[in-house]
Every structure is written in C-alpha cells, then in structure tokens.
C-alpha cells in the first residue's frame, strides 16, 4: 500500500504569488520582467509564451515597455536608471526582501558594516548589496564565518538571505557573535521558508521516500533537498514529472512530497498524480483529491492559492508600502488591501509612516472586499476600537481602573478617551472634591485613572460608557498619605514644592500631601511677607517639625538647625550686659526688640520705665533704637528678657518681683500657630 503525504507548505509562497498576480493584472501592457520574475524555468517559459519577456539590462528596454521588478528585488541603481529614462515600472519585490533592504539602509546610516549570510551570486543578495554599500561582507557557510576578522571597535549588522538554511544561519550567527562585540543579529529568513524547512525536516524523518519538487537553480529548493537527504537516503530532486523515477522495492511505502516556493501548483499536481498511478489505490487517489490537486488549470490553481476574504473578517497581512498616510497591505489575496489615513488610528496625530514599515505584520479589519478600484478596504482603527471596547468591558466587570485623557468639556462633565473609546465622566465624578465649571477646562489634555461605572452596548454602536474617579481619587489620596506618613520622621528632611501661599505661611506638596510651612518657620530672621521668601512652584528642602497621621497635618520648617543663633546665645550675651536693639513689634504685655537677625528679646511693660506704663506704645515706637540691659537668658526655650528702665536709670529699690509678675507664656503669643490649626493640609483636589 502506498501513502503519499504532501507538505502543507509545498508550492508558491506569498511573495511569489504576489509577483505573479502583478504580472497577470497588468497583462494588457507591454510587459518586461527585470530578471526572472521567480526562480522557475517552467513559469518563465510560460510567461515568455504569453509575451512577457525577461530583460537583464536597462538598455534592453524598449519605448512603451512596462517593467516588473523581480520578486528577488534589484539594486537601487537599477530603479534610478529606470526613473531617469522615464520607464514605467512596477515593484514586485517580496516584502520580506524589502524588509532586509530597510535594515541594511538603516545600518549604513549609523555607520555599521553589513554582513550577509547567503549565496553571493543569488539575485536576492545582488539586490541587497546595492543597498548595503561597498564594505558589505557576504559569508556563505561556517568556514567563511570562521575566517572573518572583524575590525576592532567597529559595529556590525548581520542579515540573512530569505531562503537560507535556518540551522546553518544559527551556527554562523553564533560564530560571529563570539568574535564581534557589537553585532546586531537579524534573522531575516522568510517565515514561510522557516516553516517549509521545518516541515521538510520532520516529514523526511517519517517517510521511506522523499520527493523535492522545484527548479534546481532555486535556493530554497536546494535547501529543502539538503535537509531531506540528511534524514532520508531515498530523496529525489525533480523539476517536473518527467524527472520522476522512483525506486520502490516494497509494497508498503510512505512517500513525502515537499516543494520550493517557486514551484507551480500544477507541477506538484502532475507529479503526485503520476506517483499515484504506480499503484491503483483508491485511498491514494482520494488523498490526491484532498490535497487540492485534482484536474485544474494553472490559473485556477493560482487563484486557489489565495485566501478567501469577507467583509467583517479580521486578518493578518504584511505591510507593502506607506505613502501619504495610506498603508498598502499584502493579504495573500488576489488584491492588496488599503488602510486610509483616517482608518489607521483614532488619534489623528499618529503618523502611519512612523508606526509601521514595509515587511511588518499587521492585523486589520476587512471593511469591504472591493472598494470599486479592485482593492480591499481595511481598517486598523475599527479593529483597535473593537479590542478596546472588549478591554473596557472586562475592566468594568473586574472593577479594574483604566487610564484616559480628557479631550473635551461637555454638558454635565467631561469626555475622556480611553484607548480610543469615548467615556463620559460626570462633573460629580471628576474628583473627590468640588470642581467649579470654569475649572473643568483646565483638565483638558490631562491623563487620569477612572473606574468604569456603567457599560451599556447600545444598538448601532451607540455605546453608553460612564467613568468616574471620585472613590478612586479618595483611595489614591489615602494610599499616598499613608506612604508619606510612613517615611516621615520628626527632625528629618524632605523635598517638596510650594503649592499655595497664604498670609500666615505656605503649603508645600511633599508628593501628594501638603505640609504647612508657617511664616515663623521661614527664616531665623524676621519675615513680614511670605512672598518675600517664596513663590508658588519653588522647590524647597524642609525639616519636619511634626506629623499627625490622624488629622492629616504636617508642620514644616525652612530653618537650618545648624544656623540656629540661639545655640551660641550664652557666648554673645550675659545677664547684666548692656545691649542695643530695634523695636520690631508691640504686644499688650510689652515690646519685642531685635538684637540681631534671629534673636528677639522681650522688654516687658513693667521694664519699660521707672513708672507705670499702661501700653508699650505710650512710651515706645516701632523702629526705635534702644539701649537695654539683659536681665534673663533662657537658652533652652530661646528666650531673652531685657530692661529699659534698668539701662536708663537703675534704682536701688528695684524689686525683681516686677519682672516675675508676667507670665512667660506671653512671650510665646507672637508665635501662636492657632491661625492655621484648622487648615486642611491634605492633598488638594486632582483638578486644583
């Protein structure tokens, strides 16, 4: 019993199918192909019979000819020569080969030397060399890689012929990586070639006979033959059915069939049908039919090699070109697909040329199979929107937050775009604090996290999606507050930004929660206005005076403890010493006199004159220079008491009780922070 197994990846690859489709669609023109359109004599002979002749020199092109560039590609000099002569040309270069052209061009721009793994005489390599530059190195095997001596300190980029043996390339790349410190390795072997080679390797291990079908000059066919011979000694390489001479010595035999990327479906069909006649087996005939190789014309089999498409399909294609914002996509279909600029992304600022390049795989939504000009109308934006909608629905069900940017203010709230989907955020849900209507506009352009509160798929795409961040903002603030309080220690330093200034001090944002910097803590000297020292937005290094987690209040200071003038007070002043100072402020219980920056002393009302004084201002005036006597120093509490009456006219019957009559707490009244005790130092609203 004979079993014939035809490889799934046997026959035309996408690049070859695309090149032949281009020729067929332009059959009404006077066509020439620059070089063989594909590496198969049978196909090129058939095209010659149809009047499509092959040329190898620009000078051989006649007036009125339209030139189709071969699937292997050509050097840029050929393109330049065609354009300078005004020759119409159609580029049928395989997208995978185009991708290599882009890689080597970019390598050349940054000064890298290009190394190509492949056959230097292969037309694909000839084309790549034109883009890679004169210094390009071509290695065809491991021995040549061993002999290569890289230039010290130079960077290299490695690419590989699309039809090269993948295992051999891995060995070459390993050898070069051991020699070159800065080597950019690009495995540019065509994905379908890799799958074809892998299939041939696996199939040849399980078959008694392997038949490799393809042109003997075809690189990928040669690779398949080389792979199969390693696993199956009865391996045959044939170009057509006429070359088929199988040596079958047993009845139960399993025959594997693989074919190169340039092998026509008709050639495979004829070979398989001929093998099946070696034994009239109904199962074998049925298998041939199941393989799609029943009686068909070449055109019918070529058409069958293309995928079928329907409106609404989601498919993966290959970017062919990007021009003026329009993306052309190869779909493995008889027509290419087009993504218009406005269907590429929901963001009008996105430039397709910066996001995709020829050779990239791209997933798209089929809008129309025929747009009227024979192209398939595609949309990436619609597919992205569908995915985003599903992601939003999943976030709604899982109660997970999402991130969106506010794009506009509408009646009753704002619109936030979340991955291209419009989400309505009511005004009451914009923040966990009250937001004025005039402040909503300040949110436009800013990103926030939201919870999806409502998700309703309406008819005709009229979805109702409502988001909010009121509860989320509260949780975020609490988390931030907890983190900040966890790291704050009294006496430690912290960095912050001045967020708001008041008449009694400034609020400093410590990373999500505000601390109060009282005016008395701005300097060791006297500060009349906070604005004289700080402005909103200033970066400041502060000292933590206190941190109350329960009340959410933090007190800060700008004073540097190392510059504290009270540390050396006893070195500068002593009791009984006469000093001079300036009256800086009045209180009901006395006057404060500045002796130096940061040192204020108190002249109690009882120490102003040798008589009863009802109010300090009855005798003294602000700014007045006085000579005073030091009568007490309290270094621990930063207090110094002064006397004018003793300095003016000391009297023998002075009673120290006059000094003791007033309470030291009066001294602290001027530093009372009570004015700010009820101020919430928590984080401001997100929108503020």
């Amino acid at each position: 019993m004979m079993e014939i197994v035809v490889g799934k990846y046997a026959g035309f690859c996408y690049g070859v199918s695309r090149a032949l489709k281009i020729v067929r669609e332009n059959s009404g023109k006077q066509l020439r192909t620059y070089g063989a359109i594909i590496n198969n004599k049978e196909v090129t002979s058939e095209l010659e019979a149809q009047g499509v002749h092959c040329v190898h020199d620009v000078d051989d092109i006649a007036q009125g000819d339209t030139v189709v560039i071969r699937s292997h590609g050509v050097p840029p000099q050929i393109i330049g020569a065609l354009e300078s002569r005004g020759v119409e040309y159609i580029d049928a270069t395989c997208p995978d080969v185009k991708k290599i052209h882009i890689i080597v061009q970019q390598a050349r721009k940054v000064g890298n030397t290009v190394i190509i793994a492949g056959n230097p005489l292969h037309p694909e390599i000839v084309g790549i060399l034109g883009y890679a530059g004169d210094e390009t190195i071509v290695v065809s095997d491991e021995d040549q890689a061993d002999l290569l001596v890289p230039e010290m300190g130079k960077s290299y980029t490695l690419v590989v012929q699309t039809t090269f043996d993948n295992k051999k390339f891995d060995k070459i790349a390993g050898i070069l990586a051991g020699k070159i410190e800065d080597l950019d390795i690009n495995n540019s072997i065509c994905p379908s070639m890799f799958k074809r080679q892998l299939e041939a390797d696996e199939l040849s291990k399980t078959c008694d006979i392997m038949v490799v079908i393809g042109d003997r000059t075809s690189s990928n066919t040669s690779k398949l033959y080389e792979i199969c011979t390693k696993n199956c000694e009865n391996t045959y390489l044939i170009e057509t059915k006429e070359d088929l001479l199988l040596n079958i010595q047993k009845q139960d035999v399993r025959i594997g069939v693989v074919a190169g990327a340039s092998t026509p479906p008709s050639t495979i069909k004829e070979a398989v049908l001929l093998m099946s006649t070696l034994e009239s087996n109904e199962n074998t005939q049925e298998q041939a039919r199941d393989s799609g190789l029943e009686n068909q014309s070449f055109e019918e089999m070529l058409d069958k090699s293309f995928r079928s498409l329907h409106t609404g399909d989601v498919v993966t294609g290959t970017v062919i070109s990007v021009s003026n914002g329009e993306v052309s996509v190869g779909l493995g279909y008889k027509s290419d697909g087009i993504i218009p600029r406005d269907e590429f992304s929901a963001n009008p600022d996105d430039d397709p040329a910066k996001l995709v390049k020829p050779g990239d795989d791209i997933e798209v939504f089929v809008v129309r199979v025929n747009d009227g000009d024979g192209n398939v109308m595609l949309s990436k934006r619609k597919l992205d929107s569908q995915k985003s909608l599903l992601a939003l629905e999943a976030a709604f069900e899982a109660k997970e937050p999402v991130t969106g940017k506010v794009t506009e203010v509408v009646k009753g709230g704002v619109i936030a775009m979340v991955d291209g989907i419009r989400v309505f955020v009511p005004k009451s849900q914009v923040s966990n604090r009250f937001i004025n209507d005039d402040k909503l506009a300040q949110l436009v352009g800013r990103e926030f996290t939201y919870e999806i509160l409502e998700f309703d798929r309406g008819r005709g795409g009229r979805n109702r999606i409502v988001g909010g961040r009121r509860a989320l903002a509260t949780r975020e603030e609490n988390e931030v507050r907890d983190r900040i309080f966890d790291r704050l220690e009294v006496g430690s330093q912290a960095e912050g930004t001045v967020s708001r200034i008041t008449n009694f001090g400034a609020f400093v944002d410590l990373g999500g929660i505000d601390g109060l910097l009282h005016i008395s803590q701005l300097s060791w000297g006297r500060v009349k206005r906070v604005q004289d020292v700080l402005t909103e937005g200033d970066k400041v290094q502060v000292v933590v005076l206190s941190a109350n987690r329960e009340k959410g209040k933090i007190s800060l200071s700008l004073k540097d403890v190392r510059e504290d003038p009270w540390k050396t007070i006893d070195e500068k002043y002593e009791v009984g010493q006469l000093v001079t100072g300036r009256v800086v402020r009045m209180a009901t219980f006395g006057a404060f006199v500045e002796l130096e920056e940061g040192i204020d002393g108190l002249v109690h009302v009882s120490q102003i004159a040798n008589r009863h004084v009802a109010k300090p201002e009855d005798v003294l005036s602000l700014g007045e220079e006085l000579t005073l006597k030091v009568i007490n120093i309290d270094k621990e509490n930063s207090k110094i008491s002064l006397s004018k009456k003793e300095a003016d006219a000391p009297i023998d019957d002075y009673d120290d009780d006059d000094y003791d009559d007033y309470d030291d707490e009066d001294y602290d009244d001027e530093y009372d922070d009570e004015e700010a005790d009820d101020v919430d130092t928590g984080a401001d609203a997100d929108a503020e």
Side-chain angles (χ1 to χ4, degrees), residues 318-330 336-341 344 351-353 356-358 360 362 364 376 378 380:
T318 303
V319 175
I320 299 172
S321 64
V322 184
S323 178
N324 297 323
E326 187 175 86
V327 182
S328 178
V329 181
D336 290 333
I338 300 295
I339 308 175
R341 174 69 181 260
F344 184 82
D351 182 1
V356 294
K357 60 184 181 299
D360 284 352
I362 186 170
V364 290
V376 181
L378 305 173
K380 179 179 173 293

PDB file of all heavy atoms in Angstrom, residues 318-330 336-341 344 351-353 356-358 360 362 364 376 378 380:
ATOM      1  N   THR A 318       0.760  41.744   5.546  1.00  0.00           N
ATOM      2  CA  THR A 318       2.116  42.285   5.587  1.00  0.00           C
ATOM      3  C   THR A 318       2.128  43.660   4.936  1.00  0.00           C
ATOM      4  O   THR A 318       1.612  43.834   3.828  1.00  0.00           O
ATOM      5  CB  THR A 318       3.096  41.360   4.839  1.00  0.00           C
ATOM      6  OG1 THR A 318       3.039  40.058   5.410  1.00  0.00           O
ATOM      7  CG2 THR A 318       4.519  41.893   4.938  1.00  0.00           C
ATOM      8  N   VAL A 319       2.715  44.628   5.620  1.00  0.00           N
ATOM      9  CA  VAL A 319       2.790  45.987   5.071  1.00  0.00           C
ATOM     10  C   VAL A 319       3.679  45.974   3.833  1.00  0.00           C
ATOM     11  O   VAL A 319       4.829  45.526   3.878  1.00  0.00           O
ATOM     12  CB  VAL A 319       3.349  46.972   6.120  1.00  0.00           C
ATOM     13  CG1 VAL A 319       3.542  48.354   5.506  1.00  0.00           C
ATOM     14  CG2 VAL A 319       2.418  47.053   7.317  1.00  0.00           C
ATOM     15  N   ILE A 320       3.114  46.475   2.714  1.00  0.00           N
ATOM     16  CA  ILE A 320       3.868  46.559   1.463  1.00  0.00           C
ATOM     17  C   ILE A 320       4.519  47.930   1.333  1.00  0.00           C
ATOM     18  O   ILE A 320       5.698  48.062   1.003  1.00  0.00           O
ATOM     19  CB  ILE A 320       2.955  46.292   0.250  1.00  0.00           C
ATOM     20  CG1 ILE A 320       2.367  44.874   0.334  1.00  0.00           C
ATOM     21  CG2 ILE A 320       3.715  46.481  -1.050  1.00  0.00           C
ATOM     22  CD1 ILE A 320       1.302  44.594  -0.704  1.00  0.00           C
ATOM     23  N   SER A 321       3.736  48.979   1.615  1.00  0.00           N
ATOM     24  CA  SER A 321       4.260  50.335   1.500  1.00  0.00           C
ATOM     25  C   SER A 321       3.415  51.285   2.332  1.00  0.00           C
ATOM     26  O   SER A 321       2.275  50.978   2.695  1.00  0.00           O
ATOM     27  CB  SER A 321       4.270  50.793   0.035  1.00  0.00           C
ATOM     28  OG  SER A 321       2.936  50.858  -0.467  1.00  0.00           O
ATOM     29  N   VAL A 322       4.000  52.462   2.649  1.00  0.00           N
ATOM     30  CA  VAL A 322       3.290  53.536   3.340  1.00  0.00           C
ATOM     31  C   VAL A 322       3.538  54.808   2.551  1.00  0.00           C
ATOM     32  O   VAL A 322       4.686  55.234   2.408  1.00  0.00           O
ATOM     33  CB  VAL A 322       3.776  53.712   4.798  1.00  0.00           C
ATOM     34  CG1 VAL A 322       2.939  54.773   5.504  1.00  0.00           C
ATOM     35  CG2 VAL A 322       3.717  52.401   5.555  1.00  0.00           C
ATOM     36  N   SER A 323       2.480  55.406   2.026  1.00  0.00           N
ATOM     37  CA  SER A 323       2.628  56.599   1.188  1.00  0.00           C
ATOM     38  C   SER A 323       1.506  57.582   1.492  1.00  0.00           C
ATOM     39  O   SER A 323       0.324  57.240   1.419  1.00  0.00           O
ATOM     40  CB  SER A 323       2.606  56.211  -0.295  1.00  0.00           C
ATOM     41  OG  SER A 323       2.704  57.352  -1.117  1.00  0.00           O
ATOM     42  N   ASN A 324       1.919  58.828   1.851  1.00  0.00           N
ATOM     43  CA  ASN A 324       0.946  59.894   2.149  1.00  0.00           C
ATOM     44  C   ASN A 324      -0.082  59.463   3.192  1.00  0.00           C
ATOM     45  O   ASN A 324      -1.267  59.791   3.084  1.00  0.00           O
ATOM     46  CB  ASN A 324       0.239  60.335   0.861  1.00  0.00           C
ATOM     47  CG  ASN A 324       1.195  60.939  -0.146  1.00  0.00           C
ATOM     48  OD1 ASN A 324       2.131  61.642   0.228  1.00  0.00           O
ATOM     49  ND2 ASN A 324       0.975  60.648  -1.420  1.00  0.00           N
ATOM     50  N   GLY A 325       0.378  58.716   4.178  1.00  0.00           N
ATOM     51  CA  GLY A 325      -0.504  58.290   5.258  1.00  0.00           C
ATOM     52  C   GLY A 325      -1.335  57.073   4.939  1.00  0.00           C
ATOM     53  O   GLY A 325      -2.043  56.558   5.806  1.00  0.00           O
ATOM     54  N   GLU A 326      -1.289  56.580   3.701  1.00  0.00           N
ATOM     55  CA  GLU A 326      -2.062  55.405   3.295  1.00  0.00           C
ATOM     56  C   GLU A 326      -1.168  54.177   3.337  1.00  0.00           C
ATOM     57  O   GLU A 326      -0.046  54.193   2.831  1.00  0.00           O
ATOM     58  CB  GLU A 326      -2.617  55.613   1.891  1.00  0.00           C
ATOM     59  CG  GLU A 326      -3.585  54.528   1.435  1.00  0.00           C
ATOM     60  CD  GLU A 326      -4.193  54.842   0.081  1.00  0.00           C
ATOM     61  OE1 GLU A 326      -3.565  54.500  -0.939  1.00  0.00           O
ATOM     62  OE2 GLU A 326      -5.276  55.454   0.034  1.00  0.00           O
ATOM     63  N   VAL A 327      -1.681  53.110   3.957  1.00  0.00           N
ATOM     64  CA  VAL A 327      -0.882  51.891   4.129  1.00  0.00           C
ATOM     65  C   VAL A 327      -1.402  50.802   3.195  1.00  0.00           C
ATOM     66  O   VAL A 327      -2.588  50.471   3.210  1.00  0.00           O
ATOM     67  CB  VAL A 327      -0.933  51.389   5.583  1.00  0.00           C
ATOM     68  CG1 VAL A 327      -0.065  50.147   5.757  1.00  0.00           C
ATOM     69  CG2 VAL A 327      -0.489  52.482   6.541  1.00  0.00           C
ATOM     70  N   SER A 328      -0.492  50.271   2.362  1.00  0.00           N
ATOM     71  CA  SER A 328      -0.834  49.165   1.468  1.00  0.00           C
ATOM     72  C   SER A 328      -0.430  47.861   2.143  1.00  0.00           C
ATOM     73  O   SER A 328       0.687  47.737   2.651  1.00  0.00           O
ATOM     74  CB  SER A 328      -0.109  49.330   0.127  1.00  0.00           C
ATOM     75  OG  SER A 328      -0.396  48.244  -0.737  1.00  0.00           O
ATOM     76  N   VAL A 329      -1.356  46.891   2.148  1.00  0.00           N
ATOM     77  CA  VAL A 329      -1.143  45.649   2.902  1.00  0.00           C
ATOM     78  C   VAL A 329      -1.334  44.441   1.998  1.00  0.00           C
ATOM     79  O   VAL A 329      -2.350  44.321   1.300  1.00  0.00           O
ATOM     80  CB  VAL A 329      -2.125  45.552   4.098  1.00  0.00           C
ATOM     81  CG1 VAL A 329      -1.887  44.269   4.886  1.00  0.00           C
ATOM     82  CG2 VAL A 329      -1.990  46.764   5.008  1.00  0.00           C
ATOM     83  N   GLY A 330      -0.338  43.547   1.995  1.00  0.00           N
ATOM     84  CA  GLY A 330      -0.474  42.273   1.299  1.00  0.00           C
ATOM     85  C   GLY A 330      -1.233  41.296   2.174  1.00  0.00           C
ATOM     86  O   GLY A 330      -0.891  41.100   3.341  1.00  0.00           O
ATOM     87  N   ASP A 336      -4.542  43.533  -3.157  1.00  0.00           N
ATOM     88  CA  ASP A 336      -3.944  44.076  -1.944  1.00  0.00           C
ATOM     89  C   ASP A 336      -4.983  44.868  -1.162  1.00  0.00           C
ATOM     90  O   ASP A 336      -6.017  45.281  -1.682  1.00  0.00           O
ATOM     91  CB  ASP A 336      -2.764  44.995  -2.286  1.00  0.00           C
ATOM     92  CG  ASP A 336      -1.580  44.218  -2.823  1.00  0.00           C
ATOM     93  OD1 ASP A 336      -1.451  43.036  -2.482  1.00  0.00           O
ATOM     94  OD2 ASP A 336      -0.786  44.798  -3.595  1.00  0.00           O
ATOM     95  N   GLY A 337      -4.692  45.108   0.115  1.00  0.00           N
ATOM     96  CA  GLY A 337      -5.583  45.888   0.962  1.00  0.00           C
ATOM     97  C   GLY A 337      -5.053  47.297   1.157  1.00  0.00           C
ATOM     98  O   GLY A 337      -3.843  47.543   1.088  1.00  0.00           O
ATOM     99  N   ILE A 338      -5.957  48.241   1.415  1.00  0.00           N
ATOM    100  CA  ILE A 338      -5.593  49.637   1.629  1.00  0.00           C
ATOM    101  C   ILE A 338      -6.173  50.105   2.972  1.00  0.00           C
ATOM    102  O   ILE A 338      -7.363  49.931   3.240  1.00  0.00           O
ATOM    103  CB  ILE A 338      -6.121  50.546   0.504  1.00  0.00           C
ATOM    104  CG1 ILE A 338      -5.543  50.124  -0.859  1.00  0.00           C
ATOM    105  CG2 ILE A 338      -5.796  52.009   0.800  1.00  0.00           C
ATOM    106  CD1 ILE A 338      -4.050  50.305  -0.971  1.00  0.00           C
ATOM    107  N   ILE A 339      -5.311  50.707   3.820  1.00  0.00           N
ATOM    108  CA  ILE A 339      -5.777  51.353   5.057  1.00  0.00           C
ATOM    109  C   ILE A 339      -5.669  52.861   4.854  1.00  0.00           C
ATOM    110  O   ILE A 339      -4.561  53.400   4.843  1.00  0.00           O
ATOM    111  CB  ILE A 339      -4.933  50.957   6.280  1.00  0.00           C
ATOM    112  CG1 ILE A 339      -4.819  49.434   6.403  1.00  0.00           C
ATOM    113  CG2 ILE A 339      -5.544  51.546   7.549  1.00  0.00           C
ATOM    114  CD1 ILE A 339      -3.899  48.994   7.534  1.00  0.00           C
ATOM    115  N   PRO A 340      -6.790  53.573   4.672  1.00  0.00           N
ATOM    116  CA  PRO A 340      -6.723  55.037   4.544  1.00  0.00           C
ATOM    117  C   PRO A 340      -6.193  55.654   5.836  1.00  0.00           C
ATOM    118  O   PRO A 340      -6.259  55.045   6.908  1.00  0.00           O
ATOM    119  CB  PRO A 340      -8.187  55.437   4.302  1.00  0.00           C
ATOM    120  CG  PRO A 340      -8.870  54.188   3.856  1.00  0.00           C
ATOM    121  CD  PRO A 340      -8.167  53.066   4.549  1.00  0.00           C
ATOM    122  N   ARG A 341      -5.669  56.874   5.749  1.00  0.00           N
ATOM    123  CA  ARG A 341      -5.066  57.544   6.907  1.00  0.00           C
ATOM    124  C   ARG A 341      -6.047  57.615   8.079  1.00  0.00           C
ATOM    125  O   ARG A 341      -5.680  57.334   9.222  1.00  0.00           O
ATOM    126  CB  ARG A 341      -4.634  58.960   6.493  1.00  0.00           C
ATOM    127  CG  ARG A 341      -4.115  59.853   7.647  1.00  0.00           C
ATOM    128  CD  ARG A 341      -2.790  59.360   8.169  1.00  0.00           C
ATOM    129  NE  ARG A 341      -2.291  60.157   9.277  1.00  0.00           N
ATOM    130  CZ  ARG A 341      -1.368  61.101   9.167  1.00  0.00           C
ATOM    131  NH1 ARG A 341      -0.840  61.380   7.983  1.00  0.00           N
ATOM    132  NH2 ARG A 341      -0.940  61.765  10.216  1.00  0.00           N
ATOM    133  N   PHE A 344      -6.470  54.399  10.101  1.00  0.00           N
ATOM    134  CA  PHE A 344      -5.301  53.772  10.719  1.00  0.00           C
ATOM    135  C   PHE A 344      -5.362  53.848  12.233  1.00  0.00           C
ATOM    136  O   PHE A 344      -5.059  52.881  12.931  1.00  0.00           O
ATOM    137  CB  PHE A 344      -4.020  54.435  10.208  1.00  0.00           C
ATOM    138  CG  PHE A 344      -2.772  53.773  10.721  1.00  0.00           C
ATOM    139  CD1 PHE A 344      -2.289  52.627  10.114  1.00  0.00           C
ATOM    140  CD2 PHE A 344      -2.090  54.284  11.810  1.00  0.00           C
ATOM    141  CE1 PHE A 344      -1.144  51.993  10.587  1.00  0.00           C
ATOM    142  CE2 PHE A 344      -0.955  53.672  12.301  1.00  0.00           C
ATOM    143  CZ  PHE A 344      -0.477  52.521  11.684  1.00  0.00           C
ATOM    144  N   ASP A 351       1.201  59.122  12.941  1.00  0.00           N
ATOM    145  CA  ASP A 351       1.712  59.063  11.570  1.00  0.00           C
ATOM    146  C   ASP A 351       2.001  57.607  11.228  1.00  0.00           C
ATOM    147  O   ASP A 351       2.912  57.006  11.805  1.00  0.00           O
ATOM    148  CB  ASP A 351       2.985  59.899  11.454  1.00  0.00           C
ATOM    149  CG  ASP A 351       3.545  59.924  10.037  1.00  0.00           C
ATOM    150  OD1 ASP A 351       2.924  59.303   9.148  1.00  0.00           O
ATOM    151  OD2 ASP A 351       4.587  60.575   9.829  1.00  0.00           O
ATOM    152  N   PRO A 352       1.248  57.005  10.289  1.00  0.00           N
ATOM    153  CA  PRO A 352       1.464  55.594   9.950  1.00  0.00           C
ATOM    154  C   PRO A 352       2.910  55.294   9.574  1.00  0.00           C
ATOM    155  O   PRO A 352       3.430  54.229   9.904  1.00  0.00           O
ATOM    156  CB  PRO A 352       0.516  55.371   8.762  1.00  0.00           C
ATOM    157  CG  PRO A 352      -0.571  56.381   8.960  1.00  0.00           C
ATOM    158  CD  PRO A 352       0.113  57.583   9.533  1.00  0.00           C
ATOM    159  N   ALA A 353       3.580  56.250   8.897  1.00  0.00           N
ATOM    160  CA  ALA A 353       4.954  56.017   8.452  1.00  0.00           C
ATOM    161  C   ALA A 353       5.916  55.844   9.619  1.00  0.00           C
ATOM    162  O   ALA A 353       6.975  55.226   9.477  1.00  0.00           O
ATOM    163  CB  ALA A 353       5.411  57.171   7.561  1.00  0.00           C
ATOM    164  N   VAL A 356       4.571  51.935  11.330  1.00  0.00           N
ATOM    165  CA  VAL A 356       4.742  50.673  10.597  1.00  0.00           C
ATOM    166  C   VAL A 356       5.682  50.903   9.429  1.00  0.00           C
ATOM    167  O   VAL A 356       5.839  52.032   8.956  1.00  0.00           O
ATOM    168  CB  VAL A 356       3.395  50.112  10.080  1.00  0.00           C
ATOM    169  CG1 VAL A 356       2.491  49.715  11.224  1.00  0.00           C
ATOM    170  CG2 VAL A 356       2.682  51.114   9.167  1.00  0.00           C
ATOM    171  N   LYS A 357       6.280  49.826   8.956  1.00  0.00           N
ATOM    172  CA  LYS A 357       7.191  49.899   7.809  1.00  0.00           C
ATOM    173  C   LYS A 357       6.988  48.657   6.949  1.00  0.00           C
ATOM    174  O   LYS A 357       6.442  47.640   7.423  1.00  0.00           O
ATOM    175  CB  LYS A 357       8.635  50.010   8.279  1.00  0.00           C
ATOM    176  CG  LYS A 357       9.123  48.852   9.122  1.00  0.00           C
ATOM    177  CD  LYS A 357      10.540  49.091   9.616  1.00  0.00           C
ATOM    178  CE  LYS A 357      11.052  47.915  10.438  1.00  0.00           C
ATOM    179  NZ  LYS A 357      10.243  47.671  11.640  1.00  0.00           N
ATOM    180  N   PRO A 358       7.406  48.691   5.680  1.00  0.00           N
ATOM    181  CA  PRO A 358       7.263  47.520   4.813  1.00  0.00           C
ATOM    182  C   PRO A 358       7.883  46.279   5.435  1.00  0.00           C
ATOM    183  O   PRO A 358       8.984  46.322   5.989  1.00  0.00           O
ATOM    184  CB  PRO A 358       8.015  47.948   3.545  1.00  0.00           C
ATOM    185  CG  PRO A 358       7.877  49.434   3.508  1.00  0.00           C
ATOM    186  CD  PRO A 358       7.952  49.854   4.950  1.00  0.00           C
ATOM    187  N   ASP A 360       6.398  44.635   7.949  1.00  0.00           N
ATOM    188  CA  ASP A 360       5.764  44.411   9.259  1.00  0.00           C
ATOM    189  C   ASP A 360       4.454  43.640   9.094  1.00  0.00           C
ATOM    190  O   ASP A 360       3.701  43.869   8.134  1.00  0.00           O
ATOM    191  CB  ASP A 360       5.449  45.742   9.944  1.00  0.00           C
ATOM    192  CG  ASP A 360       6.685  46.409  10.522  1.00  0.00           C
ATOM    193  OD1 ASP A 360       7.739  45.764  10.527  1.00  0.00           O
ATOM    194  OD2 ASP A 360       6.579  47.573  10.967  1.00  0.00           O
ATOM    195  N   ILE A 362       0.655  43.060  10.262  1.00  0.00           N
ATOM    196  CA  ILE A 362      -0.353  43.969  10.814  1.00  0.00           C
ATOM    197  C   ILE A 362      -1.716  43.289  10.790  1.00  0.00           C
ATOM    198  O   ILE A 362      -2.089  42.638   9.802  1.00  0.00           O
ATOM    199  CB  ILE A 362      -0.383  45.296  10.010  1.00  0.00           C
ATOM    200  CG1 ILE A 362      -1.318  46.307  10.680  1.00  0.00           C
ATOM    201  CG2 ILE A 362      -0.761  45.071   8.566  1.00  0.00           C
ATOM    202  CD1 ILE A 362      -1.217  47.701  10.092  1.00  0.00           C
ATOM    203  N   VAL A 364      -5.753  43.544  10.749  1.00  0.00           N
ATOM    204  CA  VAL A 364      -6.689  44.539  10.225  1.00  0.00           C
ATOM    205  C   VAL A 364      -8.110  43.976  10.157  1.00  0.00           C
ATOM    206  O   VAL A 364      -8.317  42.763  10.195  1.00  0.00           O
ATOM    207  CB  VAL A 364      -6.264  45.022   8.815  1.00  0.00           C
ATOM    208  CG1 VAL A 364      -5.009  45.871   8.900  1.00  0.00           C
ATOM    209  CG2 VAL A 364      -6.053  43.835   7.877  1.00  0.00           C
ATOM    210  N   VAL A 376      -8.932  45.951  -1.494  1.00  0.00           N
ATOM    211  CA  VAL A 376      -9.673  45.570  -0.298  1.00  0.00           C
ATOM    212  C   VAL A 376      -9.565  46.732   0.694  1.00  0.00           C
ATOM    213  O   VAL A 376      -8.462  47.156   1.044  1.00  0.00           O
ATOM    214  CB  VAL A 376      -9.096  44.287   0.337  1.00  0.00           C
ATOM    215  CG1 VAL A 376      -9.911  43.897   1.565  1.00  0.00           C
ATOM    216  CG2 VAL A 376      -9.075  43.148  -0.682  1.00  0.00           C
ATOM    217  N   LEU A 378      -9.542  48.315   4.180  1.00  0.00           N
ATOM    218  CA  LEU A 378      -9.213  47.807   5.506  1.00  0.00           C
ATOM    219  C   LEU A 378      -9.285  48.917   6.549  1.00  0.00           C
ATOM    220  O   LEU A 378      -9.251  50.098   6.225  1.00  0.00           O
ATOM    221  CB  LEU A 378      -7.791  47.223   5.518  1.00  0.00           C
ATOM    222  CG  LEU A 378      -7.471  46.135   4.499  1.00  0.00           C
ATOM    223  CD1 LEU A 378      -5.990  45.794   4.548  1.00  0.00           C
ATOM    224  CD2 LEU A 378      -8.312  44.892   4.749  1.00  0.00           C
ATOM    225  N   LYS A 380      -7.589  49.589  10.546  1.00  0.00           N
ATOM    226  CA  LYS A 380      -6.911  49.203  11.791  1.00  0.00           C
ATOM    227  C   LYS A 380      -7.611  49.861  12.973  1.00  0.00           C
ATOM    228  O   LYS A 380      -7.709  49.279  14.051  1.00  0.00           O
ATOM    229  CB  LYS A 380      -5.446  49.626  11.740  1.00  0.00           C
ATOM    230  CG  LYS A 380      -4.657  49.297  13.005  1.00  0.00           C
ATOM    231  CD  LYS A 380      -3.209  49.716  12.857  1.00  0.00           C
ATOM    232  CE  LYS A 380      -2.449  49.554  14.157  1.00  0.00           C
ATOM    233  NZ  LYS A 380      -2.922  50.486  15.208  1.00  0.00           N
TER     234      LYS A 380
END
